[in-house]
Amino acid sequence: MQLTLWTYEGPPHIGAMRIATAMRGLHYVLHAPQGDTYADLLFTMIERRDARPPVTYTTFQARDLGADTAEIFKEAVGLAYARFRPQAMIVGASCTAELLQDDPAGLARALDLPIPVIPLDLPAYQKKENWGAAETFYRLVRALSAPPAPRAARARRSCNLLGPTALGFRHRDDLREVRGLIARLGIDVNVVAPLGATPADLARLGEADFNVVLYPEVARSAAVWLQKAHGQPFTDVVPIGVGATRAFVKAVADLAGVDPAPVLDADESRLPWYSRSVDSTYLTGKRVFVFGDATHAIAAARVARAELGFSVVGLGTYARDFAREVRAEAEVHGIQAVISDDYLEVEAAIAAAQPELVLGTQMERHIAKRLGIPCAVISAPMHVQDVPARHAPQMGFEGANVLFDTFVHPLMMGLEEHLLAMFRDDPEFHDGVAPSHLGGRPHASPEPVAVAPAAAASITTPSAAAIAWAAEAERELRKVPFFVRGKARHNTERFARERALPLITVETLYDAKAHFSR
């Protein structure tokens, strides 16, 4: 393990909590020391849920380690059943309690409760949160899904929607969009799991004709098992972006044996038109760096390149279990994937790529802010502001509209900032002049502070040592458009360093421009 200031994923028991919190009628008893209850805040603070997760902690303390912590766990399981009366229960240990080797599975079986009790073996020092969510869902499906009865001939086909969880990036909104697409194809939704499902619902999974995997990180392993055990085919085409949504509709229609044309012909996405509009064409070729979980990172890179005309100069994920898929997508863009859960490595990769837009997690938003690059969040981990109260899906045709706004607005705001900076010293439009409809009289304002021509500023960037800039050169650099200013600074500093120039002047700036324009 590695100590770090930030982490992209929590330990696997956090993934198990995401499944338990998403479902109804399921309770999680977690053998954990006092202090591990911090996980509740992830749901009540970030997702703003109106109820705490359905989790009972043993919360043993240091003084309990000399006694029998196993008895503490058995007592917690009994009290949780008596209080909550769940349909089923999952039991396991946190990373700290794992070291005690109290065997939660055996202890729970010894209580002989009248409900299914599913033990979780989540190796906290080898695996992480997304794996924990996938393993928990897989164990629940194996334990609770009943063998399918012979499927009677029905007028309408049905499917299960698998993968949405608590604390998932826009899962609630994605589900609404996908349900709409499925309904318009004339297909019934049998069960949605784990979000909103009960253990009794999981027992009905085998009744569906096929499965739709919306988030492979969570549901692919369960879908593979359902295919082997119940003969249910599945699709894991993720409908993020116009092209992927159309491919998703065709894949689902093929599994159901229905005509996709009515849904495809009614495509209401505005992204294709917007991306070809006059307001958008100046964004063509913008350099973008994408990082996040595998599902959202791959989808964002495809949308950025194929549907918005951006140039993908960086692509990566912190989900090592899906490194193969991300590397394959990176090869399509002619780049090497960044597979890392170390935010410092990701920051160095972003600085080296010199993108004009970053699409990532909340981590990358902080990194981009330090580097002065526009950023949009497209993946967990996320902040409360990335869980909007309004409907804001990523999937489906409406999700494509949201993606267009998400990707383009940071660049549009950057252009506005550049225009404001460019006209700040204009005699007619500077900050001291009132609007023309108010007479244009200058505001009373203090005199600007004079800057000595020979003054030099020390600038540091994460990718280079400190370089001295003359004040005139700094002012000239600010005239460079917002989107390429970082690259201009980097190239100029590189030019100066290679020639051992002690100070970057205006002449150095223009010499560097001429050199790199050849």
Side-chain angles (χ1 to χ4, degrees):
M1 293 186 68
Q2 179 180 359
L3 294 177
T4 183
L5 179 64
W6 286 343
T7 181
Y8 288 96
E9 295 183 87
H13 73 264
I14 301 297
M17 287 184 65
R18 289 174 54 192
I19 303 299
T21 305
M23 294 182 64
R24 297 176 292 115
L26 178 70
H27 200 81
Y28 184 19
V29 178
L30 182 62
H31 197 25
Q34 188 175 35
D36 274 4
T37 55
Y38 73 90
D40 282 12
L41 295 175
L42 296 174
F43 302 90
T44 56
M45 181 181 71
I46 294 179
E47 277 200 326
R48 293 170 287 185
R49 287 181 170 263
D50 57 358
R52 65 176 296 273
V55 181
T56 293
Y57 301 90
T58 56
T59 57
F60 59 85
Q61 302 179 37
R63 64 172 178 265
D64 297 320
L65 296 179
D68 191 353
T69 53
E71 283 301 317
I72 296 175
F73 177 79
K74 291 169 63 177
E75 181 181 359
V77 172
L79 291 175
Y81 173 73
R83 178 181 178 186
F84 299 105
R85 296 289 176 176
Q87 296 178 23
M89 186 178 289
I90 52 178
V91 296
S94 72
C95 47
T96 310
E98 184 182 325
L99 300 174
L100 299 178
Q101 299 182 341
D102 278 336
D103 186 21
L107 295 173
R109 281 195 298 269
L111 293 175
D112 196 24
L113 296 177
I115 59 171
V117 178
I118 296 96
L120 301 177
D121 183 13
L122 306 178
Y125 298 97
Q126 289 83 38
K127 299 294 185 178
K128 293 196 174 182
E129 178 182 328
N130 279 339
W131 183 91
E135 179 69 8
T136 301
F137 187 50
Y138 166 75
R139 292 294 171 188
L140 285 168
V141 169
R142 281 199 65 161
L144 300 176
S145 63
R151 299 184 181 97
R154 294 189 299 263
R156 290 167 64 96
R157 306 277 280 176
S158 69
C159 68
N160 300 314
L161 303 183
L162 306 180
T165 70
L167 212 65
F169 192 81
R170 309 284 171 83
H171 287 193
R172 174 202 66 180
D173 300 339
D174 288 346
L175 188 57
R176 175 173 153 186
E177 289 299 311
V178 172
R179 274 183 173 274
L181 291 173
I182 298 292
R184 287 160 59 190
L185 285 169
I187 303 169
D188 292 329
V189 173
N190 178 50
V191 171
V192 175
L195 190 62
T198 65
D201 291 329
L202 296 187
R204 298 190 296 108
L205 286 172
E207 298 174 8
D209 295 298
F210 61 94
N211 292 310
V212 174
V213 175
L214 296 179
Y215 305 99
E217 286 95 340
V218 174
R220 182 182 288 172
S221 56
V224 170
W225 184 85
L226 287 169
Q227 185 178 45
K228 293 178 180 178
H230 299 338
Q232 292 172 312
F234 71 91
T235 176
D236 57 1
V237 177
V238 179
I240 297 181
V242 175
T245 299
R246 296 180 70 85
F248 170 83
V249 170
K250 292 175 183 177
V252 171
D254 286 345
L255 287 175
V258 299
D259 183 9
V263 176
L264 298 178
D265 293 343
D267 176 359
E268 299 175 352
S269 175
R270 288 171 285 180
L271 184 150
W273 182 87
Y274 280 155
S275 63
R276 295 191 300 268
S277 67
V278 173
D279 286 341
S280 184
T281 51
Y282 78 91
L283 299 177
T284 301
K286 293 300 179 187
R287 298 163 56 83
V288 60
F289 191 103
V290 185
F291 192 88
D293 67 54
T295 293
H296 289 93
I298 291 173
R302 291 173 179 172
V303 171
R305 179 182 181 181
E307 301 180 21
L308 292 174
F310 293 167
S311 174
V312 178
V313 297
L315 174 62
T317 184
Y318 54 81
R320 296 182 182 276
D321 294 339
F322 285 78
R324 180 180 300 174
E325 290 87 339
V326 176
R327 287 194 177 101
E329 181 64 24
E331 288 181 5
V332 173
H333 299 275
I335 55 178
Q336 185 174 357
V338 178
I339 311 297
S340 176
D341 56 5
D342 184 341
Y343 69 94
L344 294 176
E345 288 184 18
V346 178
E347 180 170 355
I350 293 174
Q354 300 179 27
E356 296 158 282
L357 174 67
V358 174
L359 303 174
T361 74
Q362 182 186 229
M363 309 289 200
E364 283 65 53
R365 175 161 47 201
H366 292 298
I367 291 169
K369 186 175 181 180
R370 285 199 299 275
L371 298 177
I373 305 171
C375 179
V377 174
I378 52 94
S379 164
M382 57 196 169
H383 187 268
V384 62
Q385 71 189 82
D386 305 310
V387 188
R390 59 181 168 80
H391 183 58
Q394 297 274 289
M395 292 185 176
F397 295 121
E398 182 60 27
N401 294 334
V402 173
L403 287 178
F404 179 88
D405 291 341
T406 300
F407 291 13
V408 169
H409 285 175
L411 293 171
M412 301 282 274
M413 293 304 296
L415 178 64
E416 291 179 11
E417 290 179 15
H418 169 62
L419 291 175
L420 289 173
M422 188 167 64
F423 285 103
R424 185 167 292 136
D425 297 324
D426 188 278
E428 186 177 355
F429 299 107
H430 67 77
D431 294 342
V433 175
S436 58
H437 68 280
L438 297 179
R441 296 185 181 87
H443 295 299
S445 59
E447 290 296 321
V449 178
V451 180
S458 178
I459 306 297
T460 60
T461 67
S463 59
I467 298 292
W469 283 72
E472 299 94 333
E474 280 282 4
R475 284 196 294 270
E476 193 69 17
L477 180 66
R478 282 194 286 271
K479 296 178 183 178
V480 175
F482 177 90
F483 304 122
V484 293
R485 193 179 303 155
K487 184 175 182 179
R489 179 186 293 276
H490 175 84
N491 285 344
T492 305
E493 291 179 351
R494 175 183 164 190
F495 180 85
R497 191 177 297 107
E498 289 174 352
R499 287 154 181 77
L501 300 177
L503 178 68
I504 294 177
T505 63
V506 174
E507 290 75 16
T508 309
L509 184 63
Y510 282 101
D511 288 345
K513 178 182 177 182
H515 173 77
F516 288 105
S517 297
R518 294 171 186 167

